[in-house]
Amino acid sequence: MNNNLEQSMFEEFSNACRKAGLKITPQRLAVYQCLAKSKEHPSAESVYQQVKKVYPNISLDTVNRTLVTLAKVGLAFTVEGSGDAKRFDANFDGHQHFKCLKCKKIVDFYYEPFKDIELPEKLRRKFEVVRKTFYLEGYCKDCKRE
Amino acid sequence: MNNNLEQSMFEEFSNACRKAGLKITPQRLAVYQCLAKSKEHPSAESVYQQVKKVYPNISLDTVNRTLVTLAKVGLAFTVEGSGDAKRFDANFDGHQHFKCLKCKKIVDFYYEPFKDIELPEKLRRKFEVVRKTFYLEGYCKDCKRE
DNA sequence: CTCTGTGCAAACACTTTGCAGCTAA
DNA sequence: TTAGCTGCAAAGTGTTTGCACAGAG
């Protein structure tokens, strides 16, 4: 049944690749499998360390490029960091942000329901929450996809 | 009344500094004012360019350090980028993330109301939204503040 | 007067790019 | 066969650090 999991993982991977016109290389598959199996939200470096055990010759660049590719194709996404410079805000009026993936613009918007969400008791016991953040990513009017 | 704005801005700034034991230097004030007046979520570089017009001798490092300090003291916050490496995820089951500000751990949690939020029509017309993200920042059990 | 903050320069970490050889389709 | 992929090396970008002097409290 572990085999089943691997199998369906591979299906998803190869379908997405085919749809996007990507070749299925052993390195690419290995990077994807490593990420899909991990529960640690790994960095490129961390994936690299894992995959290297199986493909000692793989380079960190390939891992980096592959992760970005996977994100572009919709097989993965970024949970931390953007590669871009930090951006700051001093406006605490409870607004939210929309980030354009293409031109990197950040637009404020206000939508009441977002800021009214209360955290469940369970979470508040588990963590000391300093900030709740809600944001949207996508393409602004000027950058509509393709 | 522009003066009033400046005045209350200064009040807030100096109160926060006093509370945190920070000195009020012209550079620090200039950086804060620049950020507080801006609606652009500027990067350090961008703040630097602005402030330099008034204090030609200020260094980018100072701007950088000041912005981080302001964020630490609660006068500002980061809307993009973290300084850390990118982290990836291939799990699309609609979970949310908690990020520990100290140990950088990222923990998944599931809370239904978050994923059920629908975007207002107005936003969907304005942007092509690819992903909605909700996350919490704070301190995990092992890193309770101080 | 003291101790924090600043400016400068060097070090760092992460990411990106150019290119030649390789390989999946 | 050939377009796309990989590995290597170098360059780029943003951030951090160490240190001596300057300035706020």
Side-chain angles (χ1 to χ4, degrees):
Chain A
M1 46 193 271
N2 196 346
N3 259 336
N4 266 333
L5 190 69
E6 295 247 335
Q7 189 56 37
S8 72
M9 208 185 257
F10 179 76
E11 294 289 315
E12 183 158 358
F13 173 74
S14 60
N15 284 339
C17 284
R18 207 166 300 133
K19 206 159 65 180
L22 295 178
K23 290 184 177 171
I24 297 177
T25 67
Q27 293 94 327
R28 197 167 269 166
L29 178 58
V31 167
Y32 174 70
Q33 283 185 332
C34 176
L35 184 62
K37 282 180 191 165
S38 168
K39 298 201 175 312
E40 328 252 87
H41 320 89
S43 63
E45 178 66 34
S46 159
V47 171
Y48 174 54
Q49 294 303 335
Q50 289 298 315
V51 175
K52 206 162 57 165
K53 293 177 190 165
V54 185
Y55 295 92
N57 284 326
I58 199 171
S59 73
L60 175 56
D61 306 83
T62 298
V63 174
N64 249 312
R65 277 189 278 216
T66 302
L67 288 170
V68 172
T69 304
L70 292 178
K72 204 171 294 170
V73 172
L75 283 170
F77 58 98
T78 302
V79 293
E80 171 66 48
S82 61
D84 304 311
K86 277 184 192 151
R87 306 277 222 92
F88 296 88
D89 194 341
N91 180 359
F92 287 89
D93 66 0
H95 62 280
Q96 293 84 32
H97 295 120
F98 170 85
K99 307 181 181 180
C100 179
L101 294 169
K102 199 164 165 194
C103 68
K104 309 293 181 187
K105 197 166 24 191
I106 297 179
V107 184
D108 293 351
F109 69 86
Y110 296 80
Y111 186 53
E112 296 302 319
F114 294 153
K115 67 175 199 189
D116 291 340
I117 293 180
E118 269 315 309
L119 292 186
E121 176 59 22
K122 209 168 60 178
L123 280 169
R124 267 180 287 157
R125 263 206 313 277
K126 209 162 165 190
F127 310 116
E128 183 190 337
V129 175
V130 174
R131 192 163 55 250
K132 323 182 261 186
T133 301
F134 187 94
Y135 68 90
L136 307 175
E137 283 174 330
Y139 299 90
C140 68
K141 254 190 289 193
D142 307 331
C143 298
K144 289 281 179 187
R145 200 144 35 167
E146 236 81 322
Chain B
M1 47 193 271
N2 197 345
N3 259 338
N4 266 334
L5 190 69
E6 295 248 336
Q7 189 57 36
S8 72
M9 209 184 256
F10 179 75
E11 293 289 316
E12 183 159 357
F13 174 73
S14 59
N15 284 339
C17 283
R18 208 166 301 132
K19 207 160 63 181
L22 294 179
K23 292 184 176 170
I24 297 176
T25 67
Q27 293 95 329
R28 201 169 266 166
L29 178 57
V31 167
Y32 175 69
Q33 283 184 331
C34 175
L35 184 63
K37 281 181 191 163
S38 169
K39 297 199 176 314
E40 327 253 87
H41 321 88
S43 63
E45 178 65 34
S46 160
V47 171
Y48 174 54
Q49 294 303 335
Q50 290 298 315
V51 175
K52 207 162 58 165
K53 292 177 190 162
V54 185
Y55 295 93
N57 285 326
I58 199 171
S59 74
L60 174 57
D61 306 82
T62 297
V63 174
N64 249 311
R65 278 189 277 217
T66 302
L67 288 170
V68 172
T69 304
L70 293 178
K72 204 171 295 171
V73 173
L75 283 170
F77 59 98
T78 302
V79 294
E80 171 65 47
S82 62
D84 304 310
K86 276 183 191 152
R87 305 277 221 93
F88 296 88
D89 194 341
N91 180 359
F92 286 89
D93 65 1
H95 63 282
Q96 294 84 33
H97 294 120
F98 170 87
K99 305 183 183 181
C100 179
L101 295 167
K102 200 164 165 195
C103 68
K104 309 295 181 187
K105 197 166 25 191
I106 297 179
V107 184
D108 293 352
F109 69 87
Y110 296 80
Y111 185 53
E112 296 303 318
F114 294 153
K115 67 174 200 188
D116 291 340
I117 293 180
E118 270 314 309
L119 293 185
E121 175 60 22
K122 209 168 62 180
L123 280 169
R124 268 179 288 157
R125 262 207 313 277
K126 210 163 166 190
F127 309 116
E128 182 189 337
V129 175
V130 173
R131 192 163 56 251
K132 323 183 261 186
T133 301
F134 186 94
Y135 68 91
L136 307 175
E137 282 174 332
Y139 299 89
C140 68
K141 253 190 288 191
D142 307 331
C143 297
K144 289 280 175 185
R145 200 146 37 169
E146 237 80 323

